[in-house]
């Protein structure tokens, strides 16, 4: 069975540009999460989808970030316009049951904003 | 708010040495506690967990005991291998569908 896949693995963009990160969860996992790790710091929660609905988006840093999960399958996270402080590794995770902790993570998408 | 504090890395050990990575937490309520590991080039994997006080989680020779009185969940392994080189993250969950992570501790094991 395929795990959580993320694309791209690494993106380098200029400040002010737009980037879209994609996450394909494990098939059948209704719960999808986005997390972010800024250089050397802790991994922080961004948001949680249950199917196509946003269950909790309390961790989204500002309105430059837009997450979608059309049809309850894959999810995208768009950053527009990107700022220097958005650089980091964006992790996606999915789970079958809603209880946190039993999460399956992707390898992460590294974003570098110059 | 809830938080997790881990010891700074990197931790550098020789093969077969004893490992301890300290983790303490602050949380309201009664959190579940976790250790995740990220091997080079891979995503985070759940290593072990404990859901209540005095529980011991264990996996692959690693152990951690949920200590409510000291709010700690230290990771230990009696004899590390080169293949254990990775970044280890302590985390907690208070049941609100999300994890709170520490900053991660890089472990480097040399032959």
């Amino acid at each position: 069975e395929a795990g959580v896949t993320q694309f791209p693995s690494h993106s380098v963009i200029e400040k002010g540009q737009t980037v879209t990160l994609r996450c394909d969860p494990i098939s059948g996992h209704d719960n999808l999460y986005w997390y972010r790790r800024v250089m050397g710091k802790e991994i922080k929660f961004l948001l949680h989808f249950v199917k196509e609905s946003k269950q909790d988006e309390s961790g989204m840093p500002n309105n430059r970030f837009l997450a979608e999960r059309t049809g309850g399958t894959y999810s995208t996270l768009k950053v527009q316009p990107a700022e220097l402080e958005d650089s980091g590794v964006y992790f996606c995770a999915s789970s079958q049951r809603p209880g946190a902790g039993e999460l399956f993570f992707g390898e992460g998408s590294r974003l570098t904003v110059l | 708010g809830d938080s997790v504090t881990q010891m700074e890395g990197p931790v550098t050990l020789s093969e077969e040495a004893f490992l301890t990575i300290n983790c303490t937490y602050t949380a309201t309520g009664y959190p579940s506690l976790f250790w995740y590991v990220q091997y080079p080039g891979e995503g985070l994997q759940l290593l072990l967990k404990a859901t209540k006080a005095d529980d011991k989680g264990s996996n692959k020779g690693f152990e951690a005991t949920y200590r409510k009185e000291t709010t700690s969940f230290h990771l230990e392994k009696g004899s590390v291998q080169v293949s254990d080189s990775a970044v280890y993250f302590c985390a907690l969950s208070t049941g609100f569908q999300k994890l709170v992570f520490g900053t991660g501790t890089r472990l480097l094991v040399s032959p």
Side-chain angles (χ1 to χ4, degrees), chain A residues 16-55:
Chain A
Q17 290 185 320
T18 298
V19 63
T20 300
L21 310 178
R22 173 171 169 145
C23 169
D24 287 77
I26 293 173
S27 177
H29 283 193
D30 288 340
N31 296 275
L32 187 148
Y33 305 80
W34 284 97
Y35 286 82
R36 175 174 75 168
R37 188 186 191 203
V38 174
M39 177 72 78
K41 296 191 177 180
E42 65 272 21
I43 300 171
K44 286 195 172 181
F45 169 84
L46 295 178
L47 86 160
H48 170 210
F49 284 99
V50 177
K51 296 185 179 179
E52 67 275 9
S53 299
K54 293 176 184 174
Q55 182 76 12

Side-chain angles (χ1 to χ4, degrees), chain A residues 1-112:
Chain A
E1 179 182 309
V4 176
T5 57
Q6 294 187 243
F7 182 84
S9 58
H10 191 189
S11 181
V12 181
I13 61 173
E14 300 278 339
K15 175 182 173 181
Q17 290 185 320
T18 298
V19 63
T20 300
L21 310 178
R22 173 171 169 145
C23 169
D24 287 77
I26 293 173
S27 177
H29 283 193
D30 288 340
N31 296 275
L32 187 148
Y33 305 80
W34 284 97
Y35 286 82
R36 175 174 75 168
R37 188 186 191 203
V38 174
M39 177 72 78
K41 296 191 177 180
E42 65 272 21
I43 300 171
K44 286 195 172 181
F45 169 84
L46 295 178
L47 86 160
H48 170 210
F49 284 99
V50 177
K51 296 185 179 179
E52 67 275 9
S53 299
K54 293 176 184 174
Q55 182 76 12
D56 180 355
E57 53 184 330
S58 61
M60 294 288 266
N62 53 60
N63 59 10
R64 296 185 293 103
F65 289 75
L66 175 64
E68 295 180 322
R69 192 181 182 194
T70 306
T73 55
Y74 70 91
S75 174
T76 58
L77 179 65
K78 179 189 287 188
V79 184
Q80 179 183 32
E83 298 290 344
L84 299 179
E85 63 265 26
D86 301 332
S87 296
V89 181
Y90 291 76
F91 292 101
C92 177
S94 70
S95 71
Q96 193 168 36
R97 296 185 293 111
E102 303 283 358
L103 300 184
F104 296 85
F105 282 81
E107 295 180 21
S109 291
R110 180 176 296 277
L111 173 63
T112 302

Side-chain angles (χ1 to χ4, degrees), chain B residues 30-110:
Chain B
Y30 303 96
S32 295
L33 301 174
F34 308 87
W35 278 100
Y36 275 81
V37 58
Q38 185 179 23
Y39 298 103
E42 299 183 15
L44 280 79
Q45 303 172 23
L46 179 63
L47 180 60
L48 54 84
K49 69 175 184 179
T51 58
K52 61 183 186 295
D54 300 324
D55 268 2
K56 177 185 285 188
S58 61
N59 186 24
K60 299 182 180 181
F62 290 89
E63 293 182 339
T65 301
Y66 189 141
R67 301 288 188 198
K68 184 181 175 184
E69 62 277 13
T70 55
T71 62
S72 65
F73 192 56
H74 305 322
L75 182 68
E76 296 182 336
K77 186 175 185 182
S79 176
V80 294
Q81 305 300 311
V82 172
S83 58
D84 294 327
S85 298
V87 182
Y88 293 81
F89 294 92
C90 186
L92 68 82
S93 167
T94 54
F96 292 104
Q97 315 291 325
K98 59 190 179 186
L99 292 167
V100 176
F101 285 91
T103 53
T105 302
R106 180 175 297 278
L107 171 64
L108 301 170
V109 181
S110 57

